[in-house]
Every structure is written in structure tokens, then in C-alpha cells.
Amino acid sequence: MTRSRRILASLVAVVGTIGLLSAPGTARAEPYLAVQMGFKCAQCHVNPTGGGLRNIFGNAWAQTQLATRRLGPEDDLWNGMLGKYLAIGGNLRGNYATTRVPDQATTNGFDLQEARIYLDAAVIPNRLSIYLDERVGPGNAQEQEANVRLWLREGSVYLKAGQFYLPFGWRLEDDNAYVRQLSGINMQTPDRGVEIGLEQGQWSAQLSVSNGTAGGPEVDDGKQISTRVEYVPGNWRIGASATVNNADAGDRTGLGLFGGLHWREFALLGEVDYFDDDGLGSNGRKLLASFVEANWRVRQGHNVKLSYEWFEPDRDVDEDEQTRTSLLYEWSPFEFVQARFGFRYFHGIPQNDLQNRSEAFVQLHGYF
Amino acid sequence: MAPVNTSRRRARRAPALSTLALGIGTTLLASCTAGEGTGLDANGRPPGESGAGQPPPAAGANDFRAIQDTILTPICTACHAGASAPLGLRLDSANSYAALVNVASVQVSSLRRVLPGDPGNSYLVQKMEGRAAVGSRMPLGGPPLTQASIDLVRAWIAAGARPPATAQAPQKLLVVSSTIPATGEIAVQAVREITVVFNDAVDASLVGIGGAVQLIDERTGAAVALQSISVQPGNATVLKLRTAAVLAPGSYELQLRGQGSPALASVDGHVLDGDADGRAGGDFSAAFLVVPAPASGGSP
């Protein structure tokens, strides 16, 4: 198959799979949970663009619907509120992983992937909040998100300023997914700027202007403009993203299409992103990445996730594509705890061992 | 009633349509496979562009090209490239040297990303070794770099973090690019092997001649017994010394003769510039310290 046919196939695949819909949904968090529930991100998260601190509904749902069973008393749910104005939450992920690279010794070890604390001070309830996402481990503390959010129209139009994750595509938990690496927009790369957002009925939209340095110091006059629009009628959704980073190092333009659908106990997510980066190589490069993820909710508290990713690092070079296939089993035995068992297989050009590695991991995820 | 009927029809049709969509999507995506790599180098680039797979650095070069070709380009630039590189750190070949050497870290501003001569206090090394004050080990989410790769970076920094060869004037001299252990390094592991990297292929017939290559125990002033001195097969820029026994704690000095007879020289006959004065001749020396390993625990 030629490169152009592969690109076309990737585009058609995503458009095809998100273009159809089905029946009512059940429960879950992370993007696939939103797809399964037919929710927008703001339904469960303080941040309208998703991720980070869960709101009262999100906390209640996580304790009663996400886990296999509940250990705590039924009539005493954690709601994250420390008094009337201050909400707190957190995440901690610890891993044991083993990696096999061809012609190299197998490596394995325990690792603290990250520990985060979230704080939201609603100094004027439902109108003005100050939000912090502090990474407290491994190593010293480092702010990820730190911004003030003002609802210009309560519940529908907001303005955010400070440091935050830029709006683009699916906000995946996996920062190493090809679509998140290619865009350079993930949970490790906040940027500084302002964002205006709209939450209106079945629509959700954001527009941001930022330094375009992914958290680094500003080094030129250029700025990055990013936008994301999503339509969420219920059992399916579709969205589009765009970003332009005007920098002395070379302009970078990205376009993305993403979506999801839910049918019975299955949730399917897809995304395809195209980037044109003048700062890569001597003549710039055009890159493409796609992502498809299928989730099967075996029963409450048990989820099987299968994903397939494809990355084209340079459209002008043939036979350099890479793929990444992941199979995960996620088990939430009781509230606030999730165990994940996963296997990832990377496939790339045969002369690069790292592009043909495999990984197996176990992760314990605690959250509140 | 009409809306109800429409809704029921839609509900009946939805599972079939979803299954069809899933099948089409899966089939098409499955056709998006990995490349065969035909005609590309190890970094997936056209031959000659990235340097991977090319012969080892030539005369006048140093180790940075090897670092670029084996670590930065194939691994780090998966994220650290382009206008939106994390923390503004671009590690592609056109930008990496300028972004690293003597540039303050964004995460720990009191440290330089690369502090020439001091690998232990270079933030790049700390991130690769997973002991940085802030954030995760790099590469993020990927397998740790091999110790050989980290040693390559350490040796380059210890030797002064010199720029890639293309930025230097071509020289017709044999010089030492780096040593492991490096000059001034405090080695805590069991040292039995000393590595010397030259900028050019060294004449193997000269290395074994008495006195050309010596390791001196500074406590006694005597030469340490060596099991072997050999040029690495397939890469004549690398010289390896293997001691007869693990080095006891103490101070040692590696000596390479660049004057008198025998003096080390390249295969092209260029005599070692050991004292780095830009002229052929002069002895080279590198002193390092071996200390006992901690009894238990300790840093990874």
C-alpha cells in the first residue's frame, strides 16, 4: 500500500468509525468514560477541558459507578470539598514495567510515574476560581496548571488565564500516544496564556493564545493559537482541532479530527492529526499520526482496552512508519483504586531496535 | 407517534451500523502498518542525512556526533523537536548543541543542562539517570538509556563538551576525545577497564610497546599491571586497557606518550597531541579517583 493510500485509509477509518451512532450508555472517567456515558468533560471535571480535579458529580460517580464494589458507607461519599470554597483531589500512579529491546538486555523495575495534587478555590462560587495542578512527585514539586478561571456567563462562557494544557484532540492519560507526542500537547506540557471557552448545550469549544514554548521561557514574539470544537449529542461525538505556533524556530501548524461512539458495553475513540513543522530538518517535515481505541466494559469495575496507533514521521520519506499496539486490562476493585495490566508492542523499521521493542507493565492508580 | 417510531427504528439500526463502522475502521487501520525501512538509516532517514550508520567520527570530530546520532535523534526528538518542543528544548541536530551547553535548565535554574567538565552537575545527565530534582527520568515513558549511552554523554561532558566536528576547524592531529573514567572523575564501581576515545583511528602497532600507554598508581608511583591493551575491533578510535585486577581505592593516572619513542600516532602517522597545544607531540594524562562502594543501599 502506498503512503498516500495509507493516509487516506487512516482518515477514512476515523471518519467512518465516528460517523455512526447507537444505543444508551453505562458508566466510566478518562475520555473513554465520557464516551461511554455520553458526557462532556465538564460533567465530571472542574476544568471544562477535562482532566485533573473531579467535581462533586465526578467524585460521586467514581465512587458508586466506576468500581466493582464500594467499601465505604453508602451514605457518606467523599465529595472533594474542604469547606464551602475549596476543593481538593489527587492522583498517584506507581508502575512495575519490563521492557524488551531486540539485541539488548531486558530491563525491569518499579517506578513512581507521578503524584499530583489538585486544588480549586472557588472564591466566588460558580464564577471565579483559582486552580492548581501541582506535580509533587517524583522529585520536587512543579506546577502543571496554575490559572484563574472566570465564568463570564455562568456555566456557558469562561475565560482562563495562567498556565494550562492547550486544547487539542483527546486529552488522553497516555502522554506517549503518538497523537499526543506529535501534537506536543499532553499532560506534561502546559503552556502560558489565555483561553476562552464555550459550553453550550451539546457543543464545547475552546480558543487559546499562548507562548508556544510548552512551558519554557518565551524566546520570540510569536504566539501559539489553538482551538478545539466538539459536538456531543450523546452516544457519539465528533470534534476538530487546530493549532498554529508562530516561532522563530519555524512555524508549526496542526490539524486534527477526533471522535467517539458508544454501543452497549463498547466505547470506541479515534483521532487523526496532521502537522506541518518548518522547524524540523532542513526543509521542514509533514507528519501524520492516528489513534484508535476500543474499550469493552466486561462488567462494572472491569475494562479491556485495545488500541492501535500509526505514526508517519515524514510524508516525504517512504517506509519509515511506526505502529504501537496496546492491550490493557483495567480493574477497579473498590473506590479510589484502579489496577492496570498492560502490554505494548512497538513496530518500526527493522534497523532501529527501539522502534521494535515490547513492554509489559502493572500499574496501581490511586485517586481521590 | 411518528417520533417514537423513528426513535425505535434508529435504535434497531444503530448496533448494526456501529458494528459496520467498527469493522470498516479496524480493517482500514490494520492496513496502516510499519515501514520496511528500505533505503533508510537506523534513524529512519535517507542515508547521509542523520549520520546514523555512518563510519565513526573522523579526524577533528568528537563524541557529540555519536550522542546526536545514537541518543538525541532516535530517542529524544520523538518529543523534543520543532516549535512546540517541551520546555523549548529542541534536540534535533541543528539545535541541540546550542540548547544544551552552558544553558540554564528551566526546571532547576541553578543548574546548566550541560556544564562542561562536570557531568555529575549537568542536568541532562541527571535527567537521564533519573536523579533530577524535578520530574521523571528521561526518556519519558520509554526504557531507560543503557549505561553505555549515559557513559558516552558523561565522557563527552567530562572532556569539555566540545561542539560537533563540523563546527571546528579541520585538524591533522591525533587527540584524545574522552576517557572513561574521565579526568577528575570519582569512580565508585569496581574499575577494571579504562577506555580512551581518540578523534582518529590509532595505530594499533604502537599501543603495546612498553611505556606508550601506562596506568600509574599515584600512591606507589608504580605502573599498574595490565592484562591487555587493545584497539577495539571495528572501531580503531577506541583503546581499551584491562587491568589484571580490580583497582583498589586510590588515585590513578592514565598516561599516553605523545613524544619520544614510542609515541602514539594515528594510522595516518599523525603523532598524538597529548598536551592539547594544537601541535603534534606532548604527553597526555588523566587522573581519576577510585573510592570504595557504599556498604549497602546508595544511589542507583
Side-chain angles (χ1 to χ4, degrees):
Chain A
M1 177 179 264
T2 63
R3 186 183 65 252
S4 58
R5 287 183 64 192
R6 286 186 191 137
I7 294 167
L8 181 62
S10 182
L11 283 166
V12 171
V14 174
V15 173
T17 50
I18 63 181
L20 303 171
L21 66 152
S22 59
T26 45
R28 304 266 71 206
E30 293 194 35
Y32 79 93
L33 296 176
V35 171
Q36 280 189 332
M37 292 297 293
F39 288 160
K40 295 201 293 186
C41 301
Q43 181 76 32
C44 291
H45 291 274
V46 167
N47 190 339
T49 49
L53 182 65
R54 284 159 281 269
N55 57 25
I56 292 176
F57 177 89
N59 272 310
W61 184 85
Q63 292 168 79
T64 59
Q65 303 296 312
L66 183 60
T68 301
R69 67 193 181 105
R70 177 167 164 74
L71 289 184
E74 295 293 336
D75 57 350
D76 188 14
L77 294 176
W78 163 263
N79 63 11
M81 297 302 297
L82 300 177
K84 183 178 178 182
Y85 300 103
L86 187 64
I88 188 171
N91 277 298
L92 188 148
R93 294 176 189 271
N95 295 342
Y96 173 81
T98 179
T99 303
R100 175 170 295 187
V101 181
D103 301 322
Q104 292 184 22
T106 299
T107 60
N108 65 82
F110 293 97
D111 192 25
L112 171 62
Q113 181 176 319
E114 68 172 7
R116 293 189 187 218
I117 295 292
Y118 313 113
L119 284 173
D120 189 71
V123 290
I124 303 176
N126 301 321
R127 295 303 293 264
L128 181 65
S129 291
I130 296 170
Y131 181 74
L132 294 176
D133 170 352
E134 193 79 3
R135 182 183 165 123
V136 294
N140 296 342
Q142 181 187 29
E143 76 277 6
Q144 295 294 305
E145 288 195 288
N147 56 70
V148 58
R149 186 179 62 253
L150 172 65
W151 286 96
L152 302 173
R153 288 178 56 193
E154 188 174 332
S156 61
V157 181
Y158 70 86
L159 183 67
K160 185 192 293 181
Q163 181 164 303
F164 51 87
Y165 303 121
L166 301 183
F168 193 94
W170 283 120
R171 186 155 289 181
L172 300 174
E173 177 273 333
D174 181 7
D175 295 321
N176 292 308
Y178 287 148
V179 288
R180 295 286 66 85
Q181 280 193 339
L182 171 58
S183 67
I185 297 173
N186 54 51
M187 306 288 269
Q188 305 290 331
T189 55
D191 205 6
R192 293 165 189 162
V194 295
E195 176 183 293
I196 187 167
L198 171 72
E199 298 292 327
Q200 189 73 49
Q202 296 169 324
W203 290 90
S204 181
Q206 301 87 35
L207 174 69
S208 71
V209 180
S210 61
N211 284 336
T213 57
E218 179 62 299
V219 293
D220 54 36
D221 293 333
K223 294 290 176 281
Q224 181 168 4
I225 300 173
S226 306
T227 187
R228 179 184 187 275
V229 179
E230 184 179 17
Y231 176 60
V232 188
N235 293 326
W236 63 279
R237 66 189 62 203
I238 189 167
S241 309
T243 184
V244 177
N245 190 358
N246 182 250
D248 288 351
D251 293 347
R252 180 178 173 87
T253 304
L255 299 170
L257 186 65
F258 64 95
L261 65 83
H262 166 232
W263 175 59
R264 294 186 177 174
E265 302 304 325
F266 296 92
L268 188 68
L269 284 73
E271 179 172 338
V272 59
D273 297 335
Y274 168 82
F275 275 77
D276 186 345
D277 194 325
D278 293 341
L280 291 176
S282 53
N283 299 311
R285 287 179 198 160
K286 297 175 175 61
L287 311 92
L288 191 65
S290 62
F291 163 85
V292 165
E293 175 186 290
N295 290 273
W296 173 32
R297 183 181 182 269
V298 181
R299 60 190 173 90
Q300 183 167 324
H302 299 264
N303 184 65
V304 175
K305 185 192 299 282
L306 176 66
S307 66
Y308 185 79
E309 302 165 58
W310 181 76
F311 177 45
E312 159 64 283
D314 189 343
R315 289 190 59 196
D316 292 329
V317 174
D318 286 330
E319 301 298 340
D320 61 343
E321 300 84 357
Q322 303 168 39
T323 64
R324 184 177 186 254
T325 307
S326 306
L327 178 63
L328 279 79
Y329 170 63
E330 298 170 325
W331 176 41
S332 302
F334 47 87
E335 67 268 32
F336 307 127
V337 171
Q338 182 188 52
R340 308 173 82 218
F341 308 87
F343 177 81
R344 287 202 169 93
Y345 175 67
F346 297 74
H347 191 193
I349 59 174
Q351 53 268 51
N352 188 310
D353 291 335
L354 272 176
Q355 289 183 16
N356 294 280
R357 69 184 186 272
S358 58
E359 299 173 351
F361 66 90
V362 178
Q363 181 181 85
L364 189 63
H365 175 208
Y367 59 90
F368 65 96
Chain B
M1 294 298 290
V4 174
N5 289 338
T6 303
S7 175
R8 285 176 179 167
R9 265 201 308 278
R10 185 180 298 149
R12 282 198 301 270
R13 201 170 51 213
L17 292 175
S18 297
T19 304
L20 179 63
L22 181 63
I24 293 172
T26 303
T27 302
L28 291 174
L29 270 174
S31 65
C32 294
T33 56
E36 296 293 333
T38 310
L40 304 178
D41 66 19
N43 290 333
R45 302 303 304 165
E49 182 180 305
S50 72
Q54 293 181 11
N62 61 29
D63 291 329
F64 189 72
R65 200 186 83 187
I67 293 169
Q68 185 71 53
D69 293 343
T70 61
I71 302 172
L72 302 182
T73 296
I75 300 172
C76 305
T77 58
C79 297
H80 285 281
S84 298
L87 300 174
L89 177 56
R90 306 176 67 202
L91 295 177
D92 56 286
S93 59
N95 296 282
S96 57
Y97 187 85
L100 288 172
V101 179
N102 280 318
V103 176
S105 159
V106 171
Q107 291 184 328
V108 181
S109 57
S110 60
L111 292 178
R112 312 268 178 88
R113 287 166 172 164
V114 168
L115 180 61
D118 192 348
N121 284 313
S122 293
Y123 198 63
L124 176 69
V125 173
Q126 295 183 4
K127 291 295 282 187
M128 290 175 168
E129 293 179 340
R131 57 184 179 85
V134 176
S136 301
R137 172 186 53 75
M138 290 289 157
L140 185 67
L145 293 178
T146 63
Q147 191 56 49
S149 294
I150 295 174
D151 287 345
L152 187 66
V153 176
R154 278 184 156 273
W156 168 69
I157 296 173
R162 290 182 296 178
T166 51
Q168 293 180 317
Q171 299 176 24
K172 290 290 185 182
L173 296 170
L174 177 68
V175 297
V176 175
S177 298
S178 61
T179 64
I180 303 173
T183 301
E185 183 168 335
I186 299 173
V188 295
Q189 71 272 38
V191 178
R192 262 200 85 177
E193 189 173 81
I194 315 295
T195 302
V196 183
V197 182
F198 295 90
N199 68 327
D200 199 358
V202 69
D203 187 344
S205 67
L206 300 172
V207 301
I209 298 177
V213 178
Q214 290 191 109
L215 181 64
I216 304 298
D217 184 338
E218 294 190 327
R219 184 172 49 87
T220 63
V224 175
L226 299 176
Q227 179 179 318
S228 63
I229 307 174
S230 59
V231 173
Q232 183 169 299
N235 185 358
T237 64
V238 178
L239 178 69
K240 289 192 179 288
L241 288 70
R242 186 163 179 80
T243 59
V246 172
L247 293 180
S251 300
Y252 295 88
E253 184 178 18
L254 172 68
Q255 296 180 348
L256 307 178
R257 185 174 293 174
Q259 57 192 354
S261 181
L264 292 182
S266 70
V267 292
D268 295 324
H270 302 296
V271 176
L272 175 68
D273 174 19
D275 54 4
D277 63 355
R279 293 175 298 178
D283 295 336
F284 172 87
S285 68
F288 60 91
L289 195 63
V290 175
V291 298
S296 62
S299 303

